[in-house]
């Protein structure tokens, strides 16, 4: 199936996805996000690089409670650990990779001067010994070739500690579907921003809303830890992606059913706040926003794990966008789900009362 997509992705989303920002080096997408936030909110960037957007409460006067809405803006990548005498770069992962995905990929390495293009290589299959053919390839067996003559030339172009991401741009597909390398979780930061915009357009909520595009989720949860601690929210909604279950090989009895196009996924679990879940559930039902429910038995593997433990505890909810092919250059979402996720969070924020409590 070919031809133009039935619906175009927003340019802001495409700009966010095109910017390179592996964990710890998120300044490019963070600036795109901050610039967009400044159109409707008080925008800033904190010391760990997380951009923030403050939407004041509808009524001035007594200090309102604060709702923190966050998605992480970093992506997975690789970091250069060694440059050998022949000019090949050796690397380690930044975040979780399936090593099979990296073989044969083009990468862009961000350096202090300009991006350097490279290719991820390994020994060709024709030269593998019998026992090597049977092994799953490891990242330590791969290298990056930047076309350098030797180590001296490579050292002039790249330094140890430079980082790289897959060299790929967003691809718009039929049925309102979008593929890109950084949807996990640039899409969550986009949803947080759009939810804040919707609340601002409505004149604000009873609570102050603070949207955040936090850094370093793929490595340490640093941005969510520092944001939750410094901002002292009365409640928080974390936005991430979860596995779309309408792709081959996924067991719905374990993951639940969360197809592309089925709307936001509202999570329930031992670490999540049940009254805040009920607010999101009731909001989706009353506003006729399609949704599914996901169960989490222990940790969620998202920023919610850091936020709910901050200070004396933060009532925390988790809302996710269904996504195929997680942690790959071809992650895939449906734009309707992205829009519905932002509408749900904004509508829930607007339902808050000054006296709303989320005690377990």
């Amino acid at each position: 199936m070919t031809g133009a997509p039935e619906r175009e992705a927003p340019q802001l989303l495409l700009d966010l996805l095109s910017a390179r920002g592996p964990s710890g080096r998120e300044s490019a997408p963070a600036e795109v996000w901050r610039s967009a936030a400044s159109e409707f909110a008080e925008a800033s960037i904190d010391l760990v690089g997380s951009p923030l957007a403050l939407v004041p409460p509808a009524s001035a006067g007594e200090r309102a409670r604060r709702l923190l809405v966050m998605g992480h803006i970093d992506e997975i990548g690789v970091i250069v650990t060694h440059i050998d005498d022949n000019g090949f770069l050796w690397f380690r992962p930044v975040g979780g990779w399936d090593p099979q995905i990296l073989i044969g990929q083009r990468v862009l390495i961000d350096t202090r001067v300009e991006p350097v293009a490279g290719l991820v290589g390994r020994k060709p299959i024709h030269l593998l010994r019998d026992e090597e053919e049977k092994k799953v390839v490891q990242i330590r067996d791969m290298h990056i070739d930047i076309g350098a003559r030797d180590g001296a030339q490579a050292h002039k172009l790249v330094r140890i500690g430079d980082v790289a991401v897959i060299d790929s741009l967003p691809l718009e597909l039929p049925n309102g579907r979008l593929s890109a390398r950084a949807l996990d979780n640039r899409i969550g930061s986009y949803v947080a921003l759009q939810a804040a915009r919707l609340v601002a357009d409505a004149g604000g909520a009873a609570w102050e809303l603070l949207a955040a595009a936090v850094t370093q989720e793929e490595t340490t949860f640093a941005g969510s830890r520092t944001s939750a601690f410094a901002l002292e929210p009365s409640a928080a909604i974390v936005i991430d992606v979860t596995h779309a279950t309408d792709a081959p090989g996924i067991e719905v009895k374990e993951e639940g059913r969360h197809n592309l196009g089925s709307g936001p996924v509202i999570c329930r679990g031992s670490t999540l706040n049940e009254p805040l879940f009920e607010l999101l559930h009731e909001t989706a039902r009353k506003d006729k926003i399609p949704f599914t429910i996901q169960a989490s038995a222990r940790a969620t593997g998202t920023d919610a794990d850091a936020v709910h433990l901050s200070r004396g505890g933060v009532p925390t909810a988790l809302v996710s966008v269904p996504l195929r092919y997680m942690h790959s250059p071809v992650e895939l979402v449906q734009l309707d789900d992205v829009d519905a996720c932002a509408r749900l969070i904004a509508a829930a924020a607007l339902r808050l009362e000054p006296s709303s409590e989320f005690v377990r």
Side-chain angles (χ1 to χ4, degrees), residues 223-291:
S224 56
R225 291 179 194 276
T226 54
S227 293
F229 185 88
L231 301 173
E232 299 187 63
S234 303
I237 301 174
V238 171
I239 308 134
D240 212 308
V241 293
T242 193
H243 301 288
T245 54
D246 53 354
I250 297 179
E251 180 55 74
V252 297
K253 288 182 287 186
E254 296 176 2
E255 299 293 333
R257 191 178 300 280
H258 317 294
N259 295 352
L260 292 185
S262 62
V265 182
I266 311 173
C267 193
R268 297 181 73 189
S270 54
T271 64
L272 301 171
N273 182 269
E274 189 72 3
L276 194 49
F277 163 82
E278 294 292 358
L279 170 66
L280 289 161
H281 182 277
E282 187 67 5
T283 298
R285 192 184 64 79
K286 287 186 175 179
D287 287 20
K288 296 181 170 54
I289 298 171
F291 68 96

Side-chain angles (χ1 to χ4, degrees), residues 30 40 42 72 77 103 129-130 149 248 255 330:
F40 65 89
E42 180 183 328
H72 71 86
I103 301 171
R129 299 180 184 276
D130 289 343
R149 289 188 303 270
E255 299 293 333
V330 293

Side-chain angles (χ1 to χ4, degrees), residues 295-332:
S296 170
R298 301 185 69 180
T300 67
T302 72
D303 284 313
D305 297 341
V307 174
H308 87 280
L309 290 173
S310 183
R311 292 186 181 267
V314 177
T316 302
L318 174 61
V319 179
S320 301
V321 177
L323 174 138
R324 291 179 182 169
Y325 320 125
M326 194 179 294
H327 281 206
S328 82
V330 293
E331 295 174 337
L332 179 70

Side-chain angles (χ1 to χ4, degrees), residues 123-135:
K123 185 192 294 186
I125 190 169
H126 316 71
L127 304 180
L128 295 177
R129 299 180 184 276
D130 289 343
E131 61 272 17
E132 290 177 318
E133 284 191 73
K134 298 173 184 177
K135 292 181 180 178

Side-chain angles (χ1 to χ4, degrees), residues 192-209:
L193 185 65
Q194 293 304 94
R197 190 190 301 271
L198 290 171
V199 171
D201 289 347
W207 288 30
E208 177 182 271
L209 187 144

